[in-house]
Amino acid sequence: MTPTEELFRAELVALLPRLRRFGRAITRHREDADDLVQVAVVRALTRREQWEPGTRLLSWMFRIMNNAWIDEVRSRKRRDHLLSSEDLENVASASAEQHIESLEVRKAMERLNEDQRMVVGLVLVEGLSYKEAAQVLDIPIGTLTSRLARARDQLQALLAGPAVNRMETA
Amino acid sequence: MTRFSDETLMAFVDRELDAASTAALEAAIARDPELAARVARQRNLRFAVHAAYEPVLEEPMPQRLLDATRGKGASPARESTTWRLFGDWTRFQWGAIAASITLGLLIGAGLWREAPVAGMGADLVAHRGQLLARGALARALAEQLASAQPSDAAVQIGLTFVSNAGEYCRTFALEKAAGLACKGDGDWRVEVIAQQESSRGSGGEYRMAAAGLPPAVLNTMKDRIQGDALDAEAERAAQQRGWTRGQ
């Protein structure tokens, strides 16, 4: 076992919380999110030699998750099993009362399309720069920013009304 | 007055605007309450979206994800042809490297500075990708003799041997884990540590034989050991030399 391999696995473990958070943002469903993280970890370990040391492992993991999720969505569509957002009511769990706004944000996120959730997940949830996010998704920065702008407009529209007013006066 | 597009305002709250545009926009915000409100709206959205997912970081980590990093566990439970493909490989390939993944797991967040390892009290710190013994574990490794240790000592020392790197290495058992540490550069470096339930006998008596070690520890020891394990006399002599190997 080389030091590089040990570092790789140690870093992977350290990244798990953020991978789960990103997974939650893009999949809309807790179990899907954790499945996705699990798949990504397995893929990362099998393809470890494809990761270039010195590049950011987090971005590489997001990229793997992104691709795995696209595969999964396609395969579910083929089988007509794509989850409807009615399946997703349990996201809020016990903290619903304290986090009404967060609940509304997550519900709004669920109504974005896959592409939009990816960009919002990377930039707003995970705080990646435009450049990093564009690299993860393998798209030009211009595409990223216009997708992000549309996603934001839609979120603003979905959240318009009581929730947004509350946020602005807070 | 310049009209700022929504995309510019978004880039501003994302800190993606260059310095000159940022300064121009900040100046404009100070003069223009309507513009300030538009920026606030974008900033609030960014904040709200971020906050909505922040609690995920604090949630307990599902065991199956930790297992996945160690190459253990099955494929994701949910039905999926895409994902199921990857589970089989796991069991097939990962047995051999599971031991070092265990170490990777424990190193966790402490890659670049010394950080206590969760769940291990102050006995283990991660530092620059290595796991170092501290506290009671370090003391036991340095001082305790397997031939003369109290049966209720918190750390039980097992076998001591010289590794093929020429270092003294010792196996040890904690309450719920057992491992192997080697002395180099002033620190006891934990080469492998694996969970082990009830490594002591029910009466508190514990005697570590190689057969009682978790496989990961045993395998690492077999890889490293040069010659035989030290007997009580050699162990004592090595301890008195401070675990340095004189000629």
Side-chain angles (χ1 to χ4, degrees), chain A residues 58-125:
Chain A
L58 184 65
S59 297
W60 192 65
M61 291 304 296
F62 286 157
R63 191 185 178 108
I64 292 176
M65 287 176 69
N66 174 50
N67 292 337
W69 182 242
I70 289 170
D71 290 349
E72 177 65 13
V73 169
R74 281 191 192 132
S75 120
R76 283 186 193 179
K77 274 184 179 150
R78 276 198 300 275
R79 287 179 283 125
D80 288 327
H81 277 170
L82 194 59
L83 292 170
S84 64
S85 77
E86 284 72 27
D87 295 333
L88 311 170
E89 296 305 318
N90 59 352
V91 207
S93 73
S95 55
E97 283 195 355
Q98 307 96 291
H99 295 116
I100 291 283
E101 289 173 9
S102 292
L103 175 61
E104 288 177 6
V105 169
R106 290 194 299 262
K107 279 173 162 289
M109 279 282 280
E110 289 165 16
R111 298 179 63 180
L112 300 183
N113 66 34
E114 304 292 337
D115 285 346
Q116 291 173 334
R117 280 206 308 281
M118 296 280 183
V119 295
V120 172
L122 289 171
V123 176
L124 301 190
V125 177

Side-chain angles (χ1 to χ4, degrees), chain A residues 1 6-7 9-14 16-18 20-21 24-25 29-32 34-39 41-43 45-47 68-69 71-72 75-76 79 83 99 101-102 105-106 109 120 123-131 145-146 148-150 152-153 155-157 159-160 164 167-168, chain B residues 6-7 10-14 16 37 40-46 48-57 59-62 64-66 68-83 86-87 89-90 94 96-97 100-101 103-109 111-112 128-129 191 224:
Chain A
M1 186 62 43
E6 286 181 7
L7 276 176
R9 292 187 171 81
E11 281 200 70
L12 217 45
V13 171
L16 281 179
R18 290 193 63 186
R20 291 187 79 212
R21 179 172 66 176
R24 206 73 67 84
H29 192 287
R30 181 188 299 261
E31 283 299 306
D32 274 346
D34 286 347
D35 281 358
L36 182 58
V37 173
Q38 192 171 343
V39 166
V41 165
V42 172
R43 287 190 187 182
L45 286 168
T46 65
R47 302 170 186 181
W69 182 242
D71 290 349
E72 177 65 13
S75 120
R76 283 186 193 179
R79 287 179 283 125
L83 292 170
H99 295 116
E101 289 173 9
S102 292
V105 169
R106 290 194 299 262
M109 279 282 280
V120 172
V123 176
L124 301 190
V125 177
E126 291 301 330
L128 264 60
S129 70
Y130 291 175
K131 191 177 162 202
T145 52
S146 60
L148 190 57
R150 275 200 306 276
R152 277 171 146 150
D153 284 344
L155 284 174
Q156 295 280 21
L159 293 169
V164 167
M167 277 185 265
E168 283 181 346
Chain B
D6 280 342
E7 283 206 35
M10 292 175 194
F12 174 70
V13 304
D14 293 337
E16 293 277 347
R41 192 170 144 86
Q42 290 299 339
R43 189 170 276 143
N44 286 340
L45 181 70
R46 184 179 167 109
V49 171
H50 186 79
Y53 293 92
E54 191 71 4
V56 178
L57 296 181
E59 289 177 12
M61 188 58 61
R64 66 187 175 107
L65 297 185
L66 294 170
T69 66
R70 282 176 288 178
K72 292 202 297 185
S75 52
R78 294 166 70 81
E79 282 276 315
S80 160
T81 46
T82 321
W83 289 355
F86 290 87
W89 193 89
T90 311
W94 285 1
I97 50 178
S100 42
I101 302 176
L103 174 59
L105 174 76
L106 286 168
I107 290 177
L111 284 175
W112 316 117
R128 294 184 187 279
E191 299 287 318
R224 306 285 171 91

